[in-house]
Amino acid sequence: MKWSKLPWIVRIPVQAAIGVVMLLALYSGAKWSQPLWNPSAFHWKYSETATADGAEQSLSIKARDSTMTAIDGRSFTPSLSIICDRHHVYVEVAFARPICIGPCGASGSYDIAETFVTDLGAGAQQSRPASLYWTGSDPTRAKRFYEFSDNPELAREDAPKAVAFVHRLAAAREYWIENEQNLSKFDTSDLAAQLPRLQGGCPALR
């Protein structure tokens, strides 16, 4: 039977299904080809911001793959930043939407498993439990180590750990953040080449 002779009650659902498949194919193609037409999307971006105490430098990158969702179920792509502030290093994850449950309050923490993947082909990786925390009124900015402006004493204690963490990131191919069913993967393969940009303000990174 010719397509044009099929009853409309058959043709319309089939056409709708074909349209959905085509849209999904276009979306998937755009997502997986993004490194080709938007090469800066998943590479470290350097920025410098003037502050009262000098300049704050940072390297930031968006997650290449992410299944992160907010409490309301909406998905988003987090970003990872290495920040040099007043000669101290800390690491921040920007979630775009609050990931805390219920009232976020002035402070809180978010338990994760973090994974350093050193060889993608061989699946060489090391995972360990960790925590992200936030202070102040913005729960979307979760930090892996204490920021100097939050608590100078704890920031000084965290400084060697933060430096070791950054060097471990630079030695890995990917860094994963996982909590329950949420997983974000960051491409860290070119961090070692970008890291010298922060070493002037944070000599400990050398």
Side-chain angles (χ1 to χ4, degrees):
M1 181 180 291
K2 292 183 179 180
W3 173 259
S4 59
K5 293 184 178 180
L6 289 173
W8 65 268
I9 199 169
V10 174
R11 280 183 294 148
I12 291 178
V14 171
Q15 288 173 334
I18 292 173
V20 170
V21 170
M22 291 179 66
L23 286 174
L24 289 173
L26 287 172
Y27 172 79
S28 298
K31 178 181 178 181
W32 293 110
S33 65
Q34 190 171 4
L36 299 177
W37 54 264
N38 188 13
S40 65
F42 305 109
H43 292 278
W44 294 94
K45 297 178 182 178
Y46 174 82
S47 65
E48 188 171 316
T49 305
T51 66
D53 301 299
E56 179 183 280
Q57 302 169 285
S58 69
L59 289 170
S60 302
I61 193 170
K62 286 177 60 177
R64 181 184 290 274
D65 297 300
S66 180
T67 59
M68 282 285 176
T69 56
I71 299 303
D72 59 10
R74 290 185 295 173
S75 61
F76 61 88
T77 302
S79 61
L80 175 69
S81 298
I82 300 170
I83 301 171
C84 174
D85 180 23
R86 282 165 280 191
H87 306 294
H88 293 276
V89 180
Y90 67 96
V91 178
E92 176 181 287
V93 180
F95 282 107
R97 297 188 183 96
I99 41 77
C100 46
I101 300 175
C104 294
S107 63
S109 62
Y110 186 65
D111 293 330
I112 62 167
E114 62 181 13
T115 302
F116 299 85
V117 183
T118 54
D119 188 332
L120 296 174
Q125 59 191 55
Q126 294 179 328
S127 299
R128 64 185 184 185
S131 293
L132 302 171
Y133 81 95
W134 66 88
T135 59
S137 59
D138 188 359
T140 65
R141 296 179 61 229
K143 297 152 192 175
R144 182 64 180 81
F145 299 97
Y146 274 94
E147 182 180 359
F148 194 84
S149 60
D150 289 336
N151 189 313
E153 182 178 349
L154 291 178
R156 291 189 185 95
E157 290 180 8
D158 267 357
K161 302 174 190 176
V163 170
F165 177 89
V166 171
H167 283 305
R168 193 170 186 183
L169 275 183
R173 304 295 294 174
E174 286 187 351
Y175 172 66
W176 300 354
I177 292 176
E178 186 172 9
N179 178 274
E180 296 178 351
Q181 301 303 314
N182 296 324
L183 173 64
S184 292
K185 299 180 179 181
F186 298 89
D187 182 354
T188 58
S189 58
D190 65 337
L191 177 57
Q194 298 297 322
L195 206 53
R197 306 186 77 168
L198 300 182
Q199 292 174 355
C202 287
L205 289 174
R206 293 176 184 168

